[in-house]
């Protein structure tokens, strides 16, 4: 098992003080057909604020919802992480309300505009600075996610988990890294440890059955640029 360990206590404390756990959730859909009896947990998602647009978007992977999105009336988002009070919360994102929805199959993401009456106050702020993204090579990172267990009963009370890893390579679109994930992780934010910067969205594994290494994600700066571009088109 190749899992990176972060030994700097103050870095770990800094990560936890950011409160990222309050912006990451399970993505659940309601039954479209009442006679259906299937797994409605579709993956992980998170809320992200784009400062230049002063807008918050809910983001998850396109492949999590591609078969159902046009039929959906709402998304059920469950926040669930371990504290002394075993904190959890469920909200419903009404998709029938007029809001911007950006679906990008190529970059594998869906971004849904958050409205004021959604009452979302916890989010990860996107870094829009034009930094050299190739500098992410060998960067320590972590994934905040809800990895599914083989035992379905355990999934009912699954808390948010963290997986540590290291970026091993950066392509034109994809980012490659180590870590431990599973079904249910797709759509999770990938955050650099030292700078606590949102650097990618987790997509999956290069191997269909091995969820340890190598893992792949889409670079977040490309997703943010695409959201800003589509947002400006729609507003005009």
């Amino acid at each position: 098992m190749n899992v990176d360990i972060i030994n700097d206590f103050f870095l770990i404390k800094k990560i936890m003080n950011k409160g990222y756990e309050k912006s990451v959730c399970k993505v659940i859909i309601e039954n479209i057909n009442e006679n259906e009896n299937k797994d409605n947990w579709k993956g992980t998602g998170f809320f992200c604020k784009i400062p230049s647009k002063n807008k918050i978007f809910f983001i998850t992977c396109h492949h999590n919802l591609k078969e159902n999105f046009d039929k959906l009336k709402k998304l059920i988002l469950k926040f669930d992480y371990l504290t002394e009070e075993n904190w959890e919360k469920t909200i419903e994102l009404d998709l029938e309300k007029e809001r911007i929805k950006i679906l990008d199959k190529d970059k594998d993401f869906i971004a849904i505009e958050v409205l004021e009456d959604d009452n979302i106050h916890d989010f990860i702020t996107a870094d829009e600075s034009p930094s050299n993204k190739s500098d992410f090579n060998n960067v320590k990172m972590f994934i905040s996610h809800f990895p599914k267990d083989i035992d379905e009963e355990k999934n009912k009370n699954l808390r948010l988990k963290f997986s540590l890893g290291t970026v091993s390579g950066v392509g034109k679109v994809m980012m490659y890294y180590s870590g431990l994930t599973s079904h249910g992780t797709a759509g999770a934010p990938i955050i650099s440890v030292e700078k606590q910067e949102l650097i990618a969205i987790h997509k999956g594994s290069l191997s269909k059955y091995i969820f340890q290494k190598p893992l792949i994600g889409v670079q977040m700066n490309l997703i943010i640029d695409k959201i800003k571009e589509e947002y400006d088109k729609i507003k005009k």
Side-chain angles (χ1 to χ4, degrees):
M1 183 178 294
N2 182 17
V3 182
D4 296 279
I5 303 297
I6 300 171
N7 293 317
D8 192 326
F9 171 80
F10 292 101
L11 273 180
I12 297 173
K13 186 177 180 182
K14 194 174 181 181
I15 291 169
M16 299 311 295
N17 286 342
K18 285 283 186 177
Y20 287 134
E21 68 278 1
K22 295 181 181 179
S23 63
V24 183
C25 57
K26 299 177 190 176
V27 182
I28 302 169
I29 64 170
E30 60 182 343
N31 276 325
I32 298 171
N33 184 338
E34 292 182 359
N35 296 322
E36 286 182 327
N37 183 18
K38 62 179 183 178
D39 184 7
N40 289 344
W41 174 4
K42 295 302 178 183
T44 300
F46 62 97
F47 288 95
C48 176
K49 182 173 183 179
I50 302 177
S52 64
K53 303 302 178 186
N54 194 29
K55 270 290 175 186
I56 301 171
F57 285 87
F58 173 73
I59 299 175
T60 189
C61 277
H62 182 277
H63 75 259
N64 286 342
L65 299 172
K66 62 180 179 180
E67 297 174 358
N68 304 286
F69 194 79
D70 291 339
K71 302 174 186 176
L72 289 178
K73 296 181 179 180
K74 64 182 177 182
L75 283 179
I76 302 167
L77 308 177
K78 185 173 182 180
F79 303 79
D80 199 349
Y81 58 92
L82 185 62
T83 64
E84 291 180 358
E85 297 81 21
N86 290 329
W87 192 90
E88 62 181 78
K89 177 176 72 171
T90 300
I91 67 170
E92 294 183 358
L93 209 60
D94 187 347
L95 298 180
E96 293 188 300
K97 287 185 177 180
E98 186 176 345
R99 60 175 90 226
I100 294 171
K101 304 180 189 75
I102 301 168
L103 285 73
D104 192 309
K105 183 179 179 180
D106 293 333
K107 291 187 175 64
D108 198 4
F109 79 91
I110 290 176
I112 302 170
E113 179 187 15
V114 172
L115 306 177
E116 189 173 343
D117 59 4
D118 291 322
N119 294 314
I120 301 300
H121 306 291
D122 298 296
F123 46 80
I124 303 172
T125 301
D127 178 18
E128 299 179 81
S129 62
S131 58
N132 184 0
K133 301 305 176 184
S134 63
D135 291 344
F136 289 143
N137 275 320
N138 299 316
V139 164
K140 298 286 185 183
M141 39 65 65
F142 70 97
I143 309 172
S144 301
H145 60 140
F146 291 93
K148 287 187 179 182
D149 197 283
I150 297 175
D151 184 349
E152 289 296 324
E153 283 301 313
K154 292 182 180 179
N155 289 328
K156 293 178 181 179
N157 299 306
L158 178 66
R159 307 290 184 184
L160 182 71
K161 297 188 182 301
F162 293 89
S163 176
L164 300 172
T166 302
V167 178
S168 57
V170 181
K172 289 184 178 180
V173 176
M174 296 298 176
M175 184 177 289
Y176 306 89
Y177 43 91
S178 60
L180 291 174
T181 62
S182 180
H183 294 292
T185 303
I190 300 172
I191 299 167
S192 65
V193 170
E194 188 168 353
K195 294 184 178 180
Q196 288 83 56
E197 179 184 353
L198 177 63
I199 60 176
I201 177 174
H202 178 68
K203 177 180 174 70
S205 172
L206 286 178
S207 170
K208 186 175 181 180
Y209 301 105
I210 302 174
F211 293 93
Q212 181 180 336
K213 189 180 178 182
L215 304 173
I216 55 172
V218 180
Q219 297 177 55
M220 201 65 208
N221 63 304
L222 301 179
I223 291 177
I224 297 301
D225 288 345
K226 182 69 174 180
I227 291 174
K228 289 160 64 175
E229 177 187 335
E230 294 300 316
Y231 178 84
D232 289 341
K233 283 182 184 177
I234 293 167
K235 285 298 181 183
K236 286 179 182 179

